[in-house]
Amino acid sequence: MLIFIALLYVCLASGLAWLVLFPSGRSLVARGMHIVRGLAGRAGGLRHAGARAAGAVYDGVTLSLRERVLQGVRRHRVLLAIGAPAVLIPSLLALALSNPAMLPVYEGNAALPDAQVAALLAGEQLVPPVALPPSVFTTAEVELVRPMLVTASRNWGLLHPDFSQRLLLAFKIMKEQHGYEMALLEGYRSPARQDELAAAGGHVTNARAFQSWHQYGLAADCAFLRDGKLVITEKDPWAMRGYQLYGQVAESLGLTWGGRWKMMDLGHIELRMRGVMQR
């Protein structure tokens, strides 16, 4: 239905632009209406021979109209080349932005074939791990890679329940199958904090308030624990291997992994729920 409305809008806008910009268009429309009225008035009294003659006249008029249209297009091809995109692009953008299904950013992967996920959806409820002491997040290494982390929220209760359970399941799989113990660096992020991080520069984040899934409790930044210390940097081969495995596990659970982005965020995952974020 939206596509039909957009096409109708494009046709109407193009027709109106043609009438406003080109006097020949207005003249051609007026001439066509005059001819149509004349043919309609004669139709009642014409017999078969007259009808054939009228048909010939109509064909001639149609040919004349076609020639005039082609001449007008050739004469004003520069204006048309500028005007057509000006009409088409806004309408197509409006169509795309009005339908979240057309933008993959809104959707998550609904296919969850893993047996553990099936068990989770059947009613298994995983419990968040014990909170780590604040000192874990204030080491020199952590401050270097993730400044301002000490004030981040690691409250599992502020996360969306569906996302929280998938994230906990990812933690469980990483530990049981791959031997990596994981820690939540930041979950829910307030709009004020999001703007604060954005103000720090594009190397931190390009998203402002309500442009990040963190504001909806549907994103988390995570890292690894080794010997009781956080290992965040991907320069560590052990951590880099963990990030790759973490991305695979997250995607198998229907989550989006930041490691596939142009500006990679290896510890970031999010659950893109349809209709939540309206950009």
Side-chain angles (χ1 to χ4, degrees), residues 2-278:
L2 288 175
I3 294 177
F4 173 76
I5 294 174
L7 291 176
L8 181 61
Y9 163 76
V10 170
C11 293
L12 291 175
S14 301
L16 289 174
W18 180 52
L19 292 176
V20 171
L21 296 175
F22 307 118
S24 60
R26 296 191 293 272
S27 175
L28 187 60
V29 171
R31 180 178 173 82
M33 293 179 64
H34 177 74
I35 293 173
V36 170
R37 284 197 299 268
L39 291 176
R42 297 175 188 174
L46 292 177
R47 297 185 181 273
H48 295 292
R52 285 195 298 270
V57 171
Y58 182 79
D59 290 341
V61 170
T62 302
L63 181 59
S64 176
L65 290 174
R66 185 182 306 139
E67 291 175 349
R68 285 176 176 272
V69 170
L70 292 176
Q71 289 175 0
V73 170
R74 286 193 293 268
R75 188 179 305 114
H76 304 289
R77 58 182 178 273
V78 176
L79 286 176
L80 288 173
I82 298 173
V87 172
L88 289 172
I89 292 174
S91 59
L92 293 176
L93 284 175
L95 172 63
L97 293 175
S98 65
N99 185 7
M102 298 184 68
L103 299 176
V105 69
Y106 293 96
E107 295 187 46
N109 182 6
L112 301 173
D114 192 278
Q116 295 188 67
V117 180
L120 171 66
L121 298 179
E124 180 183 356
Q125 292 295 309
L126 300 176
V127 179
V130 176
L132 296 172
S135 58
V136 173
F137 304 94
T138 57
T139 63
E141 178 192 355
V142 172
E143 288 288 342
L144 180 64
V145 181
R146 289 294 300 266
M148 305 167 64
L149 187 60
V150 66
T151 57
S153 170
R154 286 173 281 277
N155 186 345
W156 287 83
L158 296 179
L159 298 178
H160 189 284
D162 189 359
F163 174 68
S164 174
Q165 286 297 300
R166 296 188 196 210
L167 179 59
L168 287 170
L169 184 55
F171 278 24
K172 180 179 180 181
I173 294 173
M174 286 296 295
K175 185 173 184 179
E176 294 181 354
Q177 297 186 13
H178 304 297
Y180 283 86
E181 185 176 357
M182 302 204 65
L184 175 64
L185 301 181
E186 183 169 14
Y188 170 77
R189 184 182 294 160
S190 70
R193 176 173 170 80
Q194 186 68 47
D195 279 338
E196 184 181 3
L197 293 175
H203 65 287
V204 179
T205 179
N206 290 318
R208 294 201 170 272
F210 299 109
Q211 294 179 342
S212 168
W213 294 97
H214 281 284
Q215 272 83 83
Y216 306 93
L218 290 167
D221 297 325
C222 303
F224 309 104
L225 275 174
R226 183 173 59 189
D227 300 327
K229 296 182 179 181
L230 279 178
V231 182
I232 300 178
T233 175
E234 61 270 18
K235 294 180 180 179
D236 186 308
W238 175 83
M240 189 61 192
R241 173 59 179 162
Y243 282 128
Q244 295 293 336
L245 293 170
Y246 181 53
Q248 296 173 14
V249 171
E251 290 177 340
S252 75
L253 300 177
L255 300 169
T256 298
W257 178 46
R260 296 199 183 278
W261 298 344
K262 184 176 181 180
M263 180 181 171
M264 290 191 298
D265 193 350
L266 297 173
H268 177 95
I269 60 172
E270 58 192 34
L271 177 60
R272 296 177 173 181
M273 299 185 71
R274 185 190 299 270
V276 172
M277 188 190 303
Q278 301 293 340

